[in-house]
Amino acid sequence: MRNGRFANAWVLGGLLACGNGGAGSFSPGTDAGSDGPASVCSEGATASCYCPSGQMGTEKCISTGWGACDCTLPDAGYSGPQVCGDGFCSGTEDCESCPVDCGQCASCGLAPTCTNGASLPAAFSALDSFDCTDTDGGLPRCGVGVDAGPPLDDTTCLAPELKIGLADIRVVLNGVGGTLTMSCILGSDDGHSSELIITPQESGISDHAPAILVPAAQATFWGQDTGAPKLSQFPLTLSYQCFEIDSNNTWESVLGAIAMSAGSVAQVPGDPFGWVFGVASAGAAAAQAGLQAGDGVSMRLDYQQTIDPSSFLELTNGKTWTVEQSGNANGHTWDWALDVQSWGCSAARASSH
């Protein structure tokens, strides 16, 4: 804390330097960002000052001393330094990049804002209506989310941005009686673009094995190519395929065939097990090429799920659902499951009024 004797000395010095200008003649305390005395009041000079709101303003030395602190935000032509946190919403700053200066972004109320839309939610909630299960006849059936939410045009939200990924793989019964080796291929396609991932090979899996967790960087199969979620406007078809492998070479053959079919342009930077295609159906073609190249592949889980766009806003709110299939192979019952998760964001539609 400043010693009282020296504080009185610099206050007196400030008064002498600026003249006896009355209530507005002296910058109270210090320059913003300093614990020293205010700048010497030389007519025409400026100094930073604190506004009542806590933001920084500017004061100017006039003939009678320091004037009042100007807390007016600059107009659109402001060309001064751009620093987030300086109290001025300037340059390229906006509500997303610098909410402390520009204020919080307007929310559409039905989805998280996109300021941190790529971040995993702190918690997910179950969306049981999206589960994929066997019917009595053994055929797969999946929820598709028709009428799961209001039409987008009836909301104050723009088209949402989504990420969808694999939370875990669960082998309840492996179907072999001992232990097995397995992997999964998961894809997505909205009729305009497509994506694909293959999970790392997992070995030594017995009945009731612990859930297999895939690294987050390798688990996203819709919206994997950027840090931000992916704009989602059209019906989205998700493909889930998991298979038993009878040798180590099998998985390598599948991976190699997918990579060759996809080409280097589709490779996700930093992820050798993910691909993003600029056209529809390319992901499905690459997956098929991989499975055909893998001798000794036995399919155990095989579903397709087409999600209606009316559910996309709901999916931004951290949802999870289960894809599970069972059957019998060589006298052994198998029961495999995937837990899928979604998250994302949406921006508020600009008011027309």
Side-chain angles (χ1 to χ4, degrees), residues 55-67:
Q55 72 186 46
M56 288 187 288
T58 303
E59 57 188 351
K60 185 175 182 179
C61 184
I62 55 180
S63 60
T64 56
W66 287 108

Side-chain angles (χ1 to χ4, degrees), residues 78-175:
Y78 174 74
S79 59
Q82 176 190 332
V83 179
C84 185
D86 63 5
F88 300 115
C89 187
S90 57
T92 59
E93 292 177 349
D94 56 27
C95 63
E96 289 193 7
S97 64
C98 188
V100 68
D101 288 348
C102 302
Q104 295 293 326
C105 295
S107 171
C108 74
L110 298 174
T113 65
C114 289
T115 303
N116 295 307
S119 302
L120 279 170
F124 289 85
S125 60
L127 190 61
D128 295 339
S129 61
F130 268 54
D131 287 352
C132 294
T133 57
D134 293 337
T135 63
D136 292 339
L139 298 175
R141 178 181 60 195
C142 297
V144 295
V146 173
D147 298 326
L152 190 64
D153 289 344
D154 292 345
T155 73
T156 59
C157 304
L158 294 176
E161 300 175 32
L162 282 174
K163 281 184 176 288
I164 299 176
L166 180 64
D168 58 50
I169 304 168
R170 292 182 289 113
V171 176
V172 182
L173 300 174
N174 64 19

Side-chain angles (χ1 to χ4, degrees), residues 36-80:
S39 302
V40 174
C41 184
S42 175
E43 189 169 351
T46 60
S48 300
C49 55
Y50 286 111
C51 298
S53 64
Q55 72 186 46
M56 288 187 288
T58 303
E59 57 188 351
K60 185 175 182 179
C61 184
I62 55 180
S63 60
T64 56
W66 287 108
C69 191
D70 182 4
C71 298
T72 305
L73 289 176
D75 59 24
Y78 174 74
S79 59

